[in-house]
Amino acid sequence: MAISSFSIPILPDTQFYPRYASEKMGELYQKLYTAINPLYNNPFKTQTQWIAAHGADLKIPFTIHLGDVVDQSWYYTAEGSSPWTSSTNLVANGQLNSDQINKEWELASQAMQVLEVAECPYSICAGNHDVGAIGHDMQWGPDWGIGVTGFNNDDGYQDGGNHRSGIFQPYLQVFPTERAKQQATFGGRHSSGFHEYHVFTAEGNKFLVLSLSWRASDDALAWANQVIASNSTIPVILVNHQLMGIGSDGTTAADTAYSNYLWEKLIKNNDQIFMAVSGHYHGSCTKIKQNAFGNDVILMVVDYQMAYMGGNGLMRLYDFDLTNNKITASSFSPWVPVKPSSTLNQFDVAWLTDSNQSFSLDFQFAKRFSSFNKNFITPVGTSTQALTDIAKSLILTNYIQAPQKAVVLPTGSDDYPKVANTLAHWRFFNNAASEGDAFPYQAGQQIKDASTAGTNPISLHIELGMPGDLIWSKDHHPLSAAPGSLRFLNSTGTRASYFTTDPNSSLNTEPFSNGYTVEAFIKIDPGFDANVNGWMGILYRLGPRSELAGFASDDGDCCLMFALSNLMEIQWEIVPTNQNTNLTCWSGSISAGQWLHIAIVNNPSDSYSTTMYVEGAPVLRNNSGMNGIRYVKPADQMAIGCGQWAGGMSTGFLGSLGEIRIVGVPLTSDKWLTARAN
């Protein structure tokens, strides 16, 4: 049967692609994939090249960007720059300074210009990372996320608000109204320049895409309502950077204060809005709600920025099948298949198959639109194959996925590689304890050092904690030979039960001049609250780095911080022995409620580069030049399960620790704790 259909590509949160392809951040994608075709030298540009190349094959009338085009908008310093020009070489035409990280804007602009050259219309959207300016009190503003009970939209962070009015906005320079007008689908923009709408035609029907940038003001919502009223017979796809929330599992949809606000102010009473797509929250989820007319509205979140390699080029395609009355969503990466095959690993997946990533929804188009458009048609089909199947073939033909590594479970508590130069190995389990038994809650109670030397035990501190904070568990990472863990409960910014090395421990002054490997098995408690548990400590070298000779900052941070950010990102930050600055590696956002193996490997033979691995996958945001680790005073200890700020202990770890091992040389993965003894 011939099929009447069209497809809409979605570009979710591209922010890390231009950031880590920029010179300031070391051109990480280009460095990692030196043999790649220059047309595809970063995932963002690869996505738009793929759309432009296959627009006809997939019957693409329009492309949608979900916002957070770049990551660090406020480094755009050329405040006297000229308006946007048809050339996107923004350095050459004087709009950007080549020595700034604002190269992000040029790379993003070049990626979107691929669609313009191919005459593929698109909507653009400013996310929270795309607004604001350096040196101004407004960078991102508040995130009205899950658990926020109210939202009045009058705090000044919305477009035109007192926090944003009058400041230089690079988004408006790089994607001004004049640029948007060049597209055949352009309908108009709000006076702020941040919100726009387009009307495209597909299969004989018109559709309207209403794109609202981050924190649309009440005035912008009034404009949006007027746009819909003025196009009263056209079905509407609403685009918003931050709308629906997503649970800590990355798959469960959740209402937020802002989504409730937009539902009441815009969505509920506009029957034309049948679908809303947003990014911002990490993961992918779908929720269907009934509007005031009793009709379904499909609400979807798509955001891959915290996946492997900053998103690994993953995007979404919606196949609108009018003949069979269904909408099919597919998630895939056009970038993975163009990487050199020798660089592919088990984490490079070109086509996602999980039920929240690739799925179909029944949707009776004519019936759903009948209240405002009785003339909606389903023309005679021209496709003999589902567009989803065509896309899948385009992605997977001539692509061979790297094999998954075999998982070998430990046969006992001693089934792990013992390695030379192990400085300390703490195993947080007790075979004699029953599930939920309390850890002996006495100051000085020790966890022994399981290394061969065994000279670095750690001792309990209880001055910030209370009995019941620590309990034994049989729960553990399946690849950890330690058959249990220690749960850290009730931790907050001011409450913590934690351990430290002895004041005379050699670890306190270890320079790590031969490199290092630090491993930890961790499980974040599902009750993690960003406002309470953000920046909680896993492993610290205590002492304010502001006291270091030559270190200029007085920020109160330490020389070594192995922690978890308020965005649930793993942070490894150190002060090198040869520098008066701090350098950091970051993971993507991790999930609560699941065991993770974290490995941090510093290699002196490779410019002291440091690579963080999460469950064996190297993260994108690594660093080099991390020569050793400084310390403030010999008596400043290592702390496990707590952080420190300005000399005061703070923000205890909430979750479970299985093992932590510190080795004074870089190790390959076959020597990690996830490997077996033989």
Side-chain angles (χ1 to χ4, degrees), residues 287-466:
K287 183 174 184 175
I288 297 176
K289 296 178 69 172
Q290 279 70 50
N291 64 18
F293 304 87
N295 289 322
D296 288 350
V297 181
I298 306 167
L299 306 169
M300 285 174 278
V301 178
V302 190
D303 179 5
Y304 299 114
Q305 65 178 285
M306 292 305 183
Y308 175 59
M309 288 290 157
N312 216 20
L314 288 167
M315 55 182 284
R316 170 68 59 86
L317 186 79
Y318 291 112
D319 176 356
F320 294 82
D321 185 337
L322 306 186
T323 300
N324 295 297
N325 286 299
K326 64 180 181 179
I327 300 172
T328 299
S330 302
S331 300
F332 54 84
S333 170
W335 191 57
V336 169
V338 301
K339 290 184 184 182
S341 58
S342 61
T343 68
L344 297 178
N345 59 41
Q346 61 178 322
F347 307 104
D348 285 305
V349 179
W351 191 277
L352 303 185
T353 58
D354 292 347
S355 59
N356 66 313
Q357 308 289 7
S358 295
F359 55 90
S360 288
L361 300 172
D362 292 330
F363 193 87
Q364 302 291 324
F365 290 93
K367 181 180 179 181
R368 172 63 179 84
F369 303 153
S370 61
S371 66
F372 56 86
N373 185 352
K374 297 186 183 303
N375 297 317
F376 188 87
I377 63 170
T378 301
V380 175
T382 58
S383 300
T384 58
Q385 188 179 8
L387 298 179
T388 300
D389 293 338
I390 295 173
K392 191 170 186 178
S393 177
L394 289 169
I395 290 293
L396 298 182
T397 297
N398 300 320
Y399 164 73
I400 299 175
Q401 184 169 314
Q404 302 296 299
K405 288 186 178 180
V407 174
V408 181
L409 299 179
T411 58
S413 62
D414 206 41
D415 191 7
Y416 66 92
K418 316 300 191 298
V419 295
N421 300 298
T422 298
L423 304 176
H425 185 189
W426 304 302
R427 312 186 81 195
F428 298 87
F429 76 93
N430 182 357
N431 275 332
S434 298
E435 182 73 28
D437 280 357
F439 182 85
Y441 206 76
Q442 301 170 16
Q445 187 71 32
Q446 288 191 334
I447 297 285
K448 70 175 185 178
D449 176 6
S451 68
T452 301
T455 55
N456 288 302
I458 53 176
S459 302
L460 177 65
H461 288 249
I462 62 173
E463 62 270 16
L464 297 181
M466 294 178 64

Side-chain angles (χ1 to χ4, degrees), residues 197-273:
Y197 79 94
H198 294 254
V199 177
F200 67 85
T201 300
E203 298 300 283
N205 298 290
K206 288 184 176 181
F207 291 84
L208 188 149
V209 173
L210 178 60
S211 182
L212 300 181
S213 291
W214 186 74
R215 295 297 301 273
S217 63
D218 287 351
D219 180 67
L221 296 185
W223 168 84
N225 276 297
Q226 183 57 48
V227 166
I228 296 172
S230 299
N231 295 274
S232 59
T233 63
I234 305 179
V236 175
I237 299 172
L238 175 65
V239 180
N240 188 257
H241 177 63
Q242 177 196 7
L243 186 61
M244 289 298 299
I246 194 165
S248 60
D249 60 1
T251 62
T252 303
D255 290 325
T256 70
Y258 193 60
S259 71
N260 291 336
Y261 179 81
L262 283 188
W263 180 263
E264 294 296 325
K265 291 280 188 177
L266 180 64
I267 303 171
K268 182 178 72 174
N269 295 311
N270 278 308
D271 197 28
Q272 292 165 249
I273 300 176

Side-chain angles (χ1 to χ4, degrees), residues 436-441 465-471 487-491 495 497:
D437 280 357
F439 182 85
Y441 206 76
M466 294 178 64
D469 284 354
L470 301 174
I471 62 172
R487 293 187 64 192
F488 291 66
L489 304 175
N490 310 309
S491 298
R495 181 172 174 177
S497 295

Side-chain angles (χ1 to χ4, degrees), residues 94-132:
Q95 287 183 251
L96 297 177
N97 294 333
S98 60
D99 61 344
Q100 297 293 325
I101 202 169
N102 54 29
K103 179 75 170 182
E104 289 182 43
W105 281 113
E106 180 171 326
L107 293 169
S109 186
Q110 289 170 348
M112 297 309 289
Q113 193 183 38
V114 170
L115 297 180
E116 294 166 351
V117 170
E119 297 184 351
C120 298
Y122 66 86
S123 61
I124 195 73
C125 179
N128 54 303
H129 280 258
D130 300 318
V131 299

Side-chain angles (χ1 to χ4, degrees), residues 10-14 17 47 65-67 302-304 314-316:
I10 303 291
L11 299 174
D13 298 61
T14 54
Y17 303 147
Q47 290 172 331
H65 199 298
L66 296 183
V302 190
D303 179 5
Y304 299 114
L314 288 167
M315 55 182 284
R316 170 68 59 86

